[in-house]
Amino acid sequence: MTRPSAPLFARIVHELTTLSRDSVKVYLTLMRVMIPAIIAVKLLDMAGATQWLAWLLSPAMHLVGLPESMGIVWATTLVTNIYTAMAIFFTVSATESLTVAQVTVLSTMMLIAHALPVEGAIAKAAGMSWRMTIALRVGGAMVLGGLLNLAYRATGSLQQTNVLQWQPDAPDPGLLSWALGQLQVIAMILPIIAVLMLLLRVLRLIGVERLLHVLLSPLLKAIGIGRQAANTTIIGIMLGISYGGGLLIREAKSGAVGKRDILLTLAFLNLCHSLIEDTLVMMLLGADLSGILWARLAFSLLVIGVIARLMPQESAAPKRALSS
């Protein structure tokens, strides 16, 4: 077996060193945003912010055809994350008789608007204002939830009683358990970012990146997202806004992607991200794919298409839109 030539070996070492350095930079940038947000979320939750938000949201649940008790589920989703909210859902739904349509509406809203303090901080660091993040995610969730409720009622579909096939163990409410869980999440992000950045380099090297551009360019062009943001958009759609947003922060600082594309990509990922994992998770609640996948995807494309048409093309325009 022949050894790689010295120039080739040096090139490989250089590429791995560059990859490691870039991955650590993205990771540290993301951690500067995520860790304060995670701590703030826990403090707010301990101070009763979730219960207060649930009280505010309870009347709004009627607008989307849900009982007031589901307000605490969505409030938990908004403040913390989907998995914590699932535990609340299984507890609260035991005293409610929900239809598959109602569970689908709630699940779709949870998928659009969740973990706002953490994911909103990431979007802010990448260039999107808190105002726009909240308007897109909370407003978008309410609008799509209302439309789905009207559609299911008008067609009489999914009106059968929802039957839970699975229920998780109750999470440990202790502070130590919470801290260990967060540390595990934080520790896993670095290797994931490194793998993603390596994957991007490999895709570019073997030409798959160019193929993806060709396949996705009509769709991305239709909703106004430029080619430079294609890979990051795909990562965000598949894996979530934390990873896609982390890469967008790097792109925003480097200037490799225009501010308009960054804004449109962030807007799209705010409405539609982690398309595989989160969709499968919501199916455990009994939600139907018509809402949590197809309607969410179509709604996201439509909204971003409208935003792209309304957004001026001048380079200065996105800067004004991004200001908080």
Side-chain angles (χ1 to χ4, degrees), residues 29 40 43 76 85-86 90 180 214 223-224 232:
T29 300
L43 293 175
T76 304
M86 285 178 66
F90 283 114
L180 291 175
V214 172
I223 63 175
T232 305

Side-chain angles (χ1 to χ4, degrees), residues 17-95:
T17 302
T18 302
L19 174 66
S20 301
R21 184 173 62 248
D22 290 347
S23 299
V24 170
K25 284 182 179 178
V26 173
Y27 177 74
L28 292 177
T29 300
L30 199 56
M31 288 304 101
R32 282 195 289 268
V33 176
M34 285 189 66
I35 291 176
I38 289 171
I39 295 173
V41 165
K42 186 61 177 177
L43 293 175
L44 286 171
D45 191 42
M46 292 172 65
T50 303
Q51 296 292 334
W52 176 77
L53 184 59
W55 176 76
L56 287 178
L57 292 175
S58 292
M61 293 296 96
H62 290 298
L63 298 176
V64 293
L66 295 173
E68 287 189 4
S69 60
M70 292 298 108
I72 184 63
V73 178
W74 196 32
T76 304
T77 312
L78 291 173
V79 175
T80 57
N81 54 63
I82 288 175
Y83 295 98
T84 304
M86 285 178 66
I88 303 297
F89 171 82
F90 283 114
T91 300
V92 176
S93 64
T95 61

Side-chain angles (χ1 to χ4, degrees), residues 75-137:
T76 304
T77 312
L78 291 173
V79 175
T80 57
N81 54 63
I82 288 175
Y83 295 98
T84 304
M86 285 178 66
I88 303 297
F89 171 82
F90 283 114
T91 300
V92 176
S93 64
T95 61
E96 296 281 358
S97 180
L98 299 174
T99 64
V100 174
Q102 287 177 310
V103 173
T104 302
V105 168
L106 176 63
S107 298
T108 304
M109 293 172 65
M110 291 168 67
L111 290 176
I112 292 178
H114 57 262
L116 286 187
V118 175
E119 295 188 353
I122 294 171
K124 173 67 176 175
M128 176 174 281
S129 70
W130 277 101
R131 232 176 351 189
M132 190 167 185
T133 294
I134 293 173
L136 272 172
R137 302 192 72 170

Side-chain angles (χ1 to χ4, degrees), residues 144 275 279 288-301:
L144 182 54
L275 206 58
T279 299
D288 189 76
L289 284 175
S290 61
I292 59 176
L293 178 59
W294 303 119
R296 178 165 60 115
L297 182 57
F299 179 76
S300 302
L301 292 171

Side-chain angles (χ1 to χ4, degrees), residues 158-272:
L158 305 183
Q159 297 303 310
Q160 66 271 27
T161 301
N162 187 61
V163 178
L164 297 176
Q165 303 294 333
W166 175 83
Q167 186 166 343
D169 296 329
D172 186 345
L175 194 59
L176 178 60
S177 177
W178 170 84
L180 291 175
Q182 298 305 314
L183 287 175
Q184 289 177 348
V185 172
I186 289 171
M188 283 300 299
I189 289 177
L190 178 57
I192 291 175
I193 287 176
V195 170
L196 288 176
M197 296 185 70
L198 176 61
L199 178 61
L200 288 178
R201 281 172 165 80
V202 172
L203 291 179
R204 186 176 298 116
L205 181 65
I206 65 177
V208 174
E209 180 187 43
R210 190 178 301 109
L211 176 62
L212 289 175
H213 283 317
V214 172
L215 295 176
L216 291 174
S217 59
L219 177 60
L220 294 176
K221 184 177 180 180
I223 63 175
I225 295 177
R227 292 180 49 152
Q228 293 84 355
N231 285 341
T232 305
T233 304
I234 294 170
I235 287 173
I237 291 173
M238 294 296 105
L239 297 179
I241 200 169
S242 294
Y243 305 113
L247 296 179
L248 276 175
I249 293 172
R250 183 193 64 170
E251 302 291 355
K253 291 184 175 181
S254 69
V257 179
K259 291 182 179 180
R260 187 176 189 274
D261 282 341
I262 288 175
L263 177 61
L264 290 174
T265 301
L266 281 170
F268 185 67
L269 294 184
N270 267 304
L271 294 174
C272 187

